[in-house]
């Protein structure tokens, strides 16, 4: 490839004071349209988000040629150019940092209730997570200080037929199964209410860390409903049948410490340290061999999958590991008394 576009690129001045805000020398931007389209995906991956501080609607041109803009608007304005870029998100904030993607469910005014749009976007981001080598692991959390997710969006249930309701439950179960079966670690950082679909979302993650103000519950019986996104199954798996039955039937909410005592969450932190604590755990996991980590997820999930023989699957994954470069690197590093450097190969 000619390095002409790169030479031109160096002339383009753009500054990102914080993720999501792009200050661009507009004139050079026009000159550079053709290679912007090829670069847009890479740029998207590095910027990727709308910063909470600026929301979705800021664009400011202090004088001709200089554009200060929310990146999502930037994409919209140049939609023909960015036609092939991944979609922008309206209900999620995506914060990538050091291989850890933090996915924030961003409907704080509705306590992050899961509506159709959130499910659509969760599925899109799950595609990105599987595809992108830059994403090694994921945190799911909620916007604001009050809720992780306060459940499915109840307003969407009004007037729904039985068939529609079943389709909604299937969509929820399928989405959460994708999280559970993700080959990359996905951890819930529960920062407040995790009720109904919120508790189900947290339970579909590989494990959970909770802030001390977190509250867990399956209050569906209050609405004449039962959980529909896998809650009846995963709650029993995680805390045992007796306690799960009580929580399901009574709609009783438990706090973070009780959730920890029941094995529903691994750690309880202060609200301020929740994300840092979760990130630290994932930094440790990210330093391990990614294919081996994926193998652990697959084999451990098989315990709860009646269509699979978990022991046979473990043998297969153990064998597969011997075909990886990372296994050779891991064993050699041990023998040579040095730290292993894993490539995910
Ligand atoms: N679906 C849709 N909207 C929801 C919601 C949900 N699951 N949970 C909260 N909201 C909305 C409220 O309607 C309210 O919106 P409004 O300001 O437009 O009226 C907003 O979020 C704030 O909630 P509010 O009830 O005022 O907060 P609160 O502090 O008084 O109570 C809860 C918090 C979590 C106890 C309460 O919101 C609640 O019970 N939510 C429903 C939980 C539930 O049943 N989940 C399972 C659904 S299947």
């Amino acid at each position: 490839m000619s390095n002409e576009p790169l030479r031109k690129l160096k002339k383009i001045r753009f500054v990102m004071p914080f993720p999501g805000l792009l200050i661009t020398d507009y004139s050079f931007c026009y000159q550079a349209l053709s290679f912007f389209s090829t670069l847009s995906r890479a740029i998207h991956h590095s910027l990727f988000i709308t910063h909470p501080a600026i929301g979705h609607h800021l664009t400011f041109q202090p004088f001709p040629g200089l554009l200060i803009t929310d990146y999502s608007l930037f994409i919209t304005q140049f939609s023909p150019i960015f036609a092939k870029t991944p979609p922008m998100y309206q209900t999620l904030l995506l914060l990538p940092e050091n291989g850890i993607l933090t996915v924030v469910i961003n409907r704080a005014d509705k306590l992050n209730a899961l509506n159709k749009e959130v499910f659509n976007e969760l599925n899109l981001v799950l595609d990105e997570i599987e595809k992108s080598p830059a994403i090694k692991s994921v945190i799911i959390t909620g916007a604001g200080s009050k809720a992780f997710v306060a459940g499915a969006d109840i307003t969407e249930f009004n007037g729904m037929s039985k068939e529609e309701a079943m389709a909604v439950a299937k969509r929820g179960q399928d989405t959460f199964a994708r999280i559970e079966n993700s080959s990359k670690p996905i951890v819930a950082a529960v920062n407040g209410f995790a009720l109904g679909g919120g508790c189900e979302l947290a339970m579909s993650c590989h494990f959970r860390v909770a802030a001390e103000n977190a509250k867990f519950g399956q209050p569906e019986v209050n609405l004449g409903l039962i959980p529909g996104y896998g809650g009846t199954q995963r709650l029993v798996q995680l805390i045992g049948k007796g306690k799960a039955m009580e929580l399901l039937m009574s709609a009783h909410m438990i706090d973070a410490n009780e959730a920890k005592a029941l094995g529903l969450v691994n750690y309880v932190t202060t609200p301020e340290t929740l994300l840092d604590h979760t990130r630290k755990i994932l930094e440790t996991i990210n330093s391990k061999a990614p294919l081996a980590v994926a193998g652990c997820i697959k084999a451990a999930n098989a315990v709860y999958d009646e269509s699979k023989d978990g022991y046979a699957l473990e043998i297969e994954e153990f064998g597969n590991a011997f075909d990886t470069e990372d296994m050779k690197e891991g064993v050699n590093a041990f023998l040579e008394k040095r730290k292993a450097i894993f490539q995910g190969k």
Side-chain angles (χ1 to χ4, degrees):
M1 183 181 122
S2 153
N3 64 5
E4 181 63 8
L6 284 175
R7 197 179 61 72
K8 277 192 190 160
L9 177 65
K10 284 183 190 147
K11 289 190 195 165
I12 299 170
R13 283 166 284 172
F14 44 74
V15 179
M16 171 126 309
F18 52 83
L21 186 70
L22 190 67
I23 302 177
T24 316
D25 180 327
Y26 203 50
S27 50
F28 281 115
C29 183
Y30 271 119
Q31 282 174 21
L33 293 183
S34 62
F35 61 90
F36 245 104
S37 63
T38 49
L39 284 172
S40 59
R41 176 170 279 267
I43 291 169
H44 180 86
H45 275 287
S46 59
L47 313 181
F48 213 48
I49 66 151
T50 304
H51 195 277
I54 58 172
H56 285 277
H57 302 295
L58 182 85
T59 184
F60 179 48
Q61 193 160 13
F63 47 82
L66 186 73
L67 183 72
I68 301 177
T69 182
D70 171 336
Y71 182 62
S72 62
L73 208 57
F74 186 79
I75 292 277
T76 313
Q77 285 172 345
F78 294 103
S79 55
I81 303 155
F82 291 98
K84 290 188 178 156
T85 60
M88 295 307 294
Y89 297 89
Q90 301 301 317
T91 63
L92 305 179
L93 291 173
L94 305 180
L95 310 162
E97 193 185 343
N98 293 336
I100 301 171
L101 178 68
T102 302
V103 177
V104 184
I105 315 286
N106 189 29
R107 299 186 72 215
D109 57 332
K110 297 294 172 193
L111 304 188
N112 306 316
L114 303 173
N115 63 4
K116 190 173 163 205
E117 197 62 34
V118 176
F119 274 107
N120 288 342
E121 295 191 349
L122 273 177
N123 276 291
L124 291 172
V125 83
L126 286 163
D127 293 341
E128 284 294 324
I129 289 163
E130 284 303 317
K131 271 191 303 202
S132 170
I135 302 170
K136 293 194 162 69
S137 57
V138 177
I139 297 171
I140 298 181
T141 193
S145 55
K146 199 167 165 184
F148 172 71
V149 166
D153 191 320
I154 299 168
T155 59
E156 291 185 346
F157 290 171
N158 209 8
M160 205 178 258
S161 69
K162 174 182 173 177
E163 288 69 29
E164 287 165 338
M166 288 170 73
V168 160
K170 176 87 169 68
R171 177 195 63 192
Q173 287 194 10
D174 288 350
T175 305
F176 292 177
R178 290 190 69 191
I179 293 173
E180 183 169 55
N181 294 312
S182 162
S183 62
K184 298 177 184 178
I186 303 185
V187 178
V190 182
N191 57 317
F193 289 113
L195 301 178
C199 190
E200 291 169 299
L201 170 62
M203 290 193 294
S204 73
C205 293
H206 296 130
F207 58 88
R208 289 139 293 281
V209 180
E212 57 208 6
N213 65 323
K215 292 250 185 327
F216 296 81
Q218 296 289 162
E220 285 85 350
V221 290
N222 288 334
L223 303 167
L225 285 172
I226 74 164
Y229 303 161
T232 58
Q233 307 303 293
R234 292 195 181 96
L235 194 60
V236 173
Q237 290 165 4
L238 284 163
I239 68 172
K241 188 173 170 184
K243 197 67 197 175
M245 283 288 196
E246 183 194 334
L247 294 187
L248 290 166
M249 294 190 288
S250 68
H252 176 64
M253 267 189 239
I254 57 173
D255 66 20
N257 286 316
E258 192 174 352
K260 180 164 178 280
L262 289 168
L264 190 56
V265 307
N266 292 15
Y267 302 95
V268 177
T269 71
T270 64
E272 295 74 31
T273 55
L274 175 68
L275 284 179
D276 277 350
H277 190 102
T278 313
R279 267 193 214 107
K280 280 208 175 71
I281 302 169
L282 285 176
E283 277 162 14
T284 301
I285 294 173
N286 288 354
S287 72
K288 312 302 175 194
L291 296 173
V293 168
C296 290
I297 293 172
K298 207 169 164 187
N301 277 345
V303 174
Y304 301 108
D305 184 343
E306 283 176 4
S307 70
K308 296 204 173 101
D309 175 344
Y311 287 98
L313 196 142
E314 186 183 86
I315 290 172
E316 195 183 321
E317 289 296 320
F318 185 78
N320 287 343
F322 281 71
D323 273 345
T324 66
E325 288 176 26
D326 281 351
M327 181 268 177
K328 293 173 187 76
E329 164 66 7
V331 171
N332 284 338
F334 176 80
L335 296 174
E336 293 162 15
K337 300 192 186 302
R338 62 175 173 82
K339 193 172 171 345
I341 300 167
F342 295 117
Q343 308 287 342
K345 292 179 187 162

